[in-house]
Amino acid sequence: MSDKNTCPVDHSASGSQPAPHGSGCPVDHTKKPSFLQSLTGANEAKCPVDTNSVNPLNMMPDLAQTMHEGQQTALSTERESSTIPRADQPSDTHKWEYPSPQQFYNALARKNMPAPEEYVDVMVDIHNFLNEGAWNEVLKWESRHECKMPRLIRLQGRPRDLSPLARIYDWRFGVRPFDRHDWFVDRCGKQVRYVIDYYEGEPTNDMPVFNLVVRPAIDDFSSLTDRAKQMWQDAKQKYFPDAKK
């Protein structure tokens, strides 16, 4: 990807990377984000939002909207609505909300993850963009089933726990994800767990690149079957691209 306006999220591998959402990439490419270390640095690299402590009413952490001690720049307190339906509501019109830039900054400060204030808006955009892409990948898996309105129950950050697939990648290629989420999806009454591994790619024109590997956890026979079918489809596409589907 050599174009300077290339989106920092790598969409090249079908089924594992998030699809672009909305009208285009959310990252302002005129900025040189030296803040990448804040997201994927070696010291406790993970999503700054604590997904293990959530408010059951809005399915998001209770993060302060007030300026942090020592903060120099006022940040927006507006929260953007996602496209991800909440499972605690009867219709898909109720969506999860993302943290505001001020909440995101407070979460970073609370975990001693330094972030230049001028880049927080961009970091929030990347955070939201990756989550939208992850949900799009979940929907692709869910399209195999009859449920027309899967919804997100909750999510759990597990940055220190390597998934079995991540262990294989580490063994074969020597790369580890910088974060991991487990998403719990309501499939019309059935709870299905998805595992999402977040990898840092090679920066392009000083812009960060991220790769997501999204798949259902093999918690039951149905998920095992979905994974096997997808592996077969990927193999056919790779080795027999001209074969009929």
Side-chain angles (χ1 to χ4, degrees):
M1 296 184 296
S2 59
D3 188 275
K4 67 178 180 180
N5 291 320
T6 298
C7 178
V9 182
D10 184 357
H11 310 292
S12 59
S14 175
S16 60
Q17 278 73 38
H21 170 69
S23 59
C25 178
V27 178
D28 181 357
H29 298 277
T30 63
K31 298 180 179 180
K32 301 298 182 183
S34 58
F35 59 78
L36 181 59
Q37 183 73 17
S38 300
L39 287 178
T40 61
N43 296 326
E44 294 296 317
K46 58 182 177 179
C47 175
V49 179
D50 184 1
T51 56
N52 296 311
S53 177
V54 298
N55 182 339
L57 296 178
N58 59 16
M59 303 302 290
M60 284 299 298
D62 286 325
L63 299 172
Q65 291 275 30
T66 55
M67 291 182 64
H68 191 269
E69 182 180 359
Q71 182 179 336
Q72 301 297 318
T73 306
L75 299 172
S76 172
T77 59
E78 293 186 8
R79 299 179 63 173
E80 179 181 342
S81 179
S82 75
T83 65
I84 307 173
R86 285 168 44 174
D88 64 337
Q89 298 294 331
S91 73
D92 62 352
T93 59
H94 296 85
K95 313 292 186 182
W96 280 47
E97 286 187 334
Y98 292 122
S100 69
Q102 183 63 63
Q103 289 175 311
F104 199 89
Y105 181 85
N106 288 341
L108 289 167
R110 183 179 60 184
K111 296 194 174 186
N112 295 317
M113 300 170 67
E117 296 170 19
E118 64 270 23
Y119 289 133
V120 172
D121 286 344
V122 182
M123 295 172 71
V124 170
D125 286 338
I126 293 176
H127 174 270
N128 299 354
F129 190 69
L130 291 176
N131 278 290
E132 291 295 324
W135 181 247
N136 287 336
E137 294 300 321
V138 168
L139 292 179
K140 290 179 183 179
W141 286 99
E142 287 297 305
S143 66
R144 297 174 177 271
H145 301 273
E146 295 181 357
C147 181
K148 302 302 181 183
M149 194 176 68
R151 295 176 293 179
L152 186 59
I153 301 170
R154 62 187 176 90
L155 57 93
Q156 179 183 17
R158 301 178 61 183
R160 297 182 180 87
D161 299 330
L162 282 182
S163 66
L165 186 59
R167 291 183 185 277
I168 294 174
Y169 285 175
D170 182 30
W171 174 68
R172 288 192 59 191
F173 307 111
V175 295
R176 289 192 172 198
F178 67 83
D179 200 5
R180 168 188 170 177
H181 283 180
D182 284 13
W183 288 21
F184 297 83
V185 173
D186 175 20
R187 182 187 292 163
C188 295
K190 177 181 179 180
Q191 178 175 287
V192 182
R193 181 169 65 98
Y194 280 84
V195 179
I196 305 171
D197 289 324
Y198 297 78
Y199 289 88
E200 179 185 0
E202 289 294 327
T204 300
N205 295 330
D206 295 328
M207 298 303 300
V209 173
F210 303 102
N211 299 313
L212 274 63
V213 181
V214 182
R215 69 280 187 195
I218 305 178
D219 293 334
D220 55 27
F221 184 74
S222 175
S223 295
L224 175 62
T225 301
D226 286 348
R227 294 275 293 271
K229 289 180 178 178
Q230 186 62 49
M231 289 179 63
W232 172 241
Q233 289 181 1
D234 290 344
K236 285 199 304 181
Q237 183 177 359
K238 180 177 181 179
Y239 297 108
F240 308 102
D242 297 327
K244 293 183 179 180
K245 294 183 179 180

